[in-house]
Amino acid sequence: GDDYDCEGSSTHTLCYLEEVCGTPFTARGVAMDWLRLFWDLKTDGGASFSEMLEMYDDANPNTWNAWTVYSRLENGATSNGVSQEDWDTYADLNCVDP
């Protein structure tokens, strides 16, 4: 399989949706954009692996849909110690939008 560099490089931007996928964009991000967001929360934001699991669990993935996934994950993150500023920064940086 292909390798994917979560830290990025000078040869590509951080927006997989906008680089690889065809328009129209849904303005929510794709799996690679979300992966980079969570990578940044872990590596730069200092979230522990157990906190990341709690974020996901608190977001209640069994009940979300395309319209609620962002707010559910955001709420799960901020209720588990991620600052709103960090969430907004990493979401914006990685083109994951509400």
Side-chain angles (χ1 to χ4, degrees), residues 61-74:
N62 294 323
T63 62
W64 70 36
N65 60 44
W67 306 110
T68 62
V69 64
Y70 182 93
S71 61
R72 296 268 180 101
L73 285 168
E74 177 183 31

Side-chain angles (χ1 to χ4, degrees), residues 24-95:
F25 306 128
T26 62
R28 285 187 216 109
V30 294
M32 296 308 251
D33 298 325
W34 281 98
L35 172 67
R36 291 182 60 90
L37 165 62
F38 288 114
W39 177 267
D40 285 345
L41 287 174
K42 173 85 173 87
T43 60
D44 299 331
S48 70
F49 185 70
S50 61
E51 289 170 328
M52 301 290 282
L53 293 175
E54 287 296 322
M55 288 177 210
Y56 185 79
D57 191 45
D58 287 353
N60 198 0
N62 294 323
T63 62
W64 70 36
N65 60 44
W67 306 110
T68 62
V69 64
Y70 182 93
S71 61
R72 296 268 180 101
L73 285 168
E74 177 183 31
N75 291 339
T78 56
S79 68
N80 282 283
V82 173
S83 73
Q84 187 68 54
E85 181 180 5
D86 279 353
W87 176 268
D88 292 341
T89 297
Y90 299 133
D92 185 54
L93 180 66
N94 294 297
C95 303

